[in-house]
Amino acid sequence: MTASGSTEQTPHLRLAGIGAGPANLALAALLHGDRGQPNLFFDRKPSFTWHDDQLITGATLQVSIFKDLVSLSDPTNRFSFMSYLHEHGRMYHFLNAQFAAVPRTEFRNYLAWAAQTNENVVFSESVQHVEFVNDVFRVTTDRRQVTADNIAVGVGTVPWVPDLAVPHLGTGHFHVSQFLRYAGQLAGKRVAVVGGGQSGAEAFLDLISRSPGDRPACVSWVSRRRNYFPIDDSTFTNDFYMPEYSDYFYRLSEEKRAELNSAHLLSSDGISESTLRAIYQGLYRLQFVEHDEHRFGLLPNRTVVAADRTSNGIFELMLRHNDESGQSQILPVDAVVWATGFRPAPKTFLEPLLSHIETANGEVRVDEDFAVTWDGPPDRNIFMQNAVRGQRGLPDVNLSLNAWRAQRIADRLRGNNSPEMAMSFIDWSAKSGRG
């Protein structure tokens, strides 16, 4: 609402975006300045955030500097990471710093700059529901109502913990997405970090690296994986994160796609080599230099099967070993950091349209341009970003194909096709006959 209490009036849009995280910011950047594509992107948060409570000192991106909002689709776009550095007068400083990987806080600040300097992105405005009336989408927010030919949903993910953890969540038992908010209260406590990916590794490293007065009494790192595995960032593995492979993956059967996502998980969800090295060096320091070997415990290949407080007030995690014995052990702790990942955010605002939308295995079904399959007119689209990993593979939920996916959507809106990149060196598709 405006100050007078009247509803704001907005001209008809070509595209209304719901959510302003990296996925929709990429689309907003590629559409910026195109008068033929009037657009507006809404986000319910007061201002831009991106895993803000996970920005631990020293945390870095696991992808290339070029995998920003736009560079891999439009390197001349004013919302590139290079443009951000240039506008802030720090190009030479960034080059001279010789970062092996982009500091995650710097990339978060870049994303915030892109959101704040794009007048088509608005915050503190929550989309209540979306309807399809008179051949247009009618988007109702808590401030106004707009109409649009198309909508783009990019609301990202939300923290996930197992059901057994939910009753205990609070200041002493929290998801890693709240790490900076609560981790300052862990000095002198027995802490378990549950989760063997990059987030769990960063939390564990931070806790064991603190000065003696701020350090927990003991930090145990629990993972279902058989070891603390590195991310596979090798050359040919990275072909999984090229447009050609994404299109190949999309054409596979549901069963084969699920199999490949599981087999190649470490190409997306492994731990950076630099983080693993820093952890190992930290453990060496604790055990052999400071002679404080009781400060840590490494517990891979174990699943948390119960979390309960005993009658005398001690909190215990029950761990089941994943080998053939299946033996259980009890881990007494005072606090737990649940680094157990994220799931697609709920999209209750789409409820008026759900009866018109096709779904498959818990996902809305999309076509090759990320447009939802539905019974509406073919020139009215619901684009779905960052929510169809089962159909588009592991890159769908990370930054690697952000710019390409946004370009695919922008091309669909404009009715044209951008130049294709050079094909992969790898021939992914099977061919009949002789090669």
Side-chain angles (χ1 to χ4, degrees):
M1 302 294 285
T2 61
S4 63
S6 61
T7 303
E8 291 187 16
Q9 298 299 313
T10 304
H12 178 71
L13 302 168
R14 177 69 173 146
L15 177 77
I18 305 169
N24 264 353
L25 280 181
L27 182 56
L30 292 175
L31 295 177
H32 187 265
D34 186 342
R35 294 184 178 180
Q37 306 293 328
N39 59 87
L40 200 57
F41 290 76
F42 304 99
D43 198 292
R44 61 181 175 79
K45 298 188 297 291
S47 60
F48 179 82
T49 62
W50 185 63
H51 304 300
D52 284 15
D53 278 329
Q54 281 185 256
L55 299 177
I56 300 170
T57 300
T60 60
L61 287 186
Q62 292 185 295
V63 297
S64 165
I65 184 178
F66 295 113
K67 294 183 176 180
D68 62 7
L69 296 174
V70 293
S71 290
L72 292 179
S73 290
D74 179 10
T76 65
N77 190 285
R78 60 158 293 194
F79 293 104
S80 70
F81 185 72
M82 294 290 281
S83 293
Y84 161 77
L85 293 177
H86 178 73
E87 183 168 312
H88 288 83
R90 61 181 74 160
M91 287 280 285
Y92 286 98
H93 303 82
F94 187 85
L95 289 173
N96 291 344
Q98 299 183 9
F99 291 113
V102 181
R104 198 179 302 163
T105 300
E106 177 74 318
F107 198 77
R108 178 259 179 230
N109 292 341
Y110 152 67
L111 295 174
W113 165 82
Q116 293 158 4
T117 55
N118 188 334
E119 67 276 12
N120 297 326
V121 178
V122 296
F123 289 90
S124 294
E125 189 160 355
S126 177
V127 171
Q128 307 296 304
H129 55 268
V130 180
E131 303 165 287
F132 192 72
V133 181
N134 297 327
D135 210 32
V136 295
F137 292 101
R138 188 166 65 195
V139 180
T140 302
T141 78
D142 54 2
R143 287 176 48 191
R144 61 183 133 183
Q145 194 172 86
V146 302
T147 58
D149 295 332
N150 306 274
I151 61 172
V153 179
V155 293
T157 58
V158 293
W160 179 87
V161 297
D163 291 341
L164 59 86
V166 173
H168 309 291
L169 292 179
T171 57
H173 298 262
F174 53 89
H175 189 267
V176 72
S177 61
Q178 300 173 303
F179 187 80
L180 294 184
R181 190 180 312 176
Y182 296 131
Q185 306 171 32
L186 301 180
K189 296 183 178 180
R190 298 166 300 176
V191 181
V193 176
V194 179
Q198 180 70 14
S199 296
E202 289 172 353
F204 182 75
L205 175 60
D206 178 83
L207 293 172
I208 67 169
S209 301
R210 296 182 174 185
S211 61
D214 295 326
R215 196 180 299 158
C218 180
V219 188
S220 300
W221 188 11
V222 181
S223 173
R224 288 185 300 177
R225 299 175 184 176
R226 298 193 67 86
N227 204 339
Y228 304 102
F229 291 115
I231 189 170
D232 184 351
D233 193 30
S234 55
T235 52
F236 287 104
T237 297
N238 273 319
D239 268 49
F240 293 148
Y241 297 84
M242 290 179 64
E244 184 180 351
Y245 184 82
S246 178
D247 284 336
Y248 160 75
F249 184 94
Y250 173 77
R251 294 189 293 267
L252 298 174
S253 67
E254 292 179 359
E255 294 77 15
K256 179 57 67 174
R257 291 196 301 248
E259 176 188 330
L260 290 176
N261 274 344
S262 177
H264 301 146
L265 182 64
L266 291 176
S267 68
S268 173
D269 196 34
I271 304 168
S272 296
E273 290 270 12
S274 59
T275 305
L276 288 171
R277 189 178 305 111
I279 289 173
Y280 205 96
Q281 291 172 354
L283 299 180
Y284 183 99
R285 185 189 69 252
L286 285 174
Q287 181 151 334
F288 298 121
V289 179
E290 299 183 14
H291 303 289
D292 199 1
E293 64 269 19
H294 300 298
R295 289 282 189 174
F296 63 87
L298 298 179
L299 303 170
N301 202 26
R302 292 161 173 85
T303 299
V304 179
V305 294
D308 295 296
R309 192 172 299 280
T310 65
S311 57
N312 58 1
I314 298 174
F315 194 88
E316 296 179 338
L317 295 180
M318 178 178 288
L319 312 180
R320 184 188 66 232
H321 204 287
N322 296 329
D323 63 13
E324 293 179 355
S325 70
Q327 289 185 325
S328 297
Q329 68 184 96
I330 299 297
L331 181 66
V333 295
D334 303 305
V336 182
V337 181
W338 296 94
T340 44
F342 296 81
R343 297 291 186 272
K347 303 167 184 64
T348 55
F349 50 83
L350 287 179
E351 286 181 357
L353 301 176
L354 291 182
S355 62
H356 304 278
I357 291 174
E358 289 188 23
T359 60
N361 291 330
E363 294 181 350
V364 297
R365 190 182 295 278
V366 298
D367 66 16
E368 66 278 4
D369 295 327
F370 300 90
V372 171
T373 304
W374 75 310
D375 62 8
D379 61 343
R380 298 292 184 262
N381 296 294
I382 306 165
F383 296 105
M384 190 64 62
Q385 301 220 63
N386 198 28
V388 289
R389 190 175 84 159
Q391 296 165 79
R392 277 295 183 171
L394 299 170
D396 191 65
V397 293
N398 69 20
L399 298 171
S400 291
L401 293 181
N402 235 12
W404 168 77
R405 180 178 56 202
Q407 187 67 62
R408 196 80 166 242
I409 295 172
D411 285 348
R412 175 80 160 254
L413 293 171
R414 292 167 173 151
N416 60 17
N417 292 308
S418 296
E420 292 291 335
M421 296 293 102
M423 293 181 65
S424 168
F425 295 139
I426 300 173
D427 188 351
W428 293 111
S429 300
K431 292 181 174 62
S432 59
R434 295 183 179 182

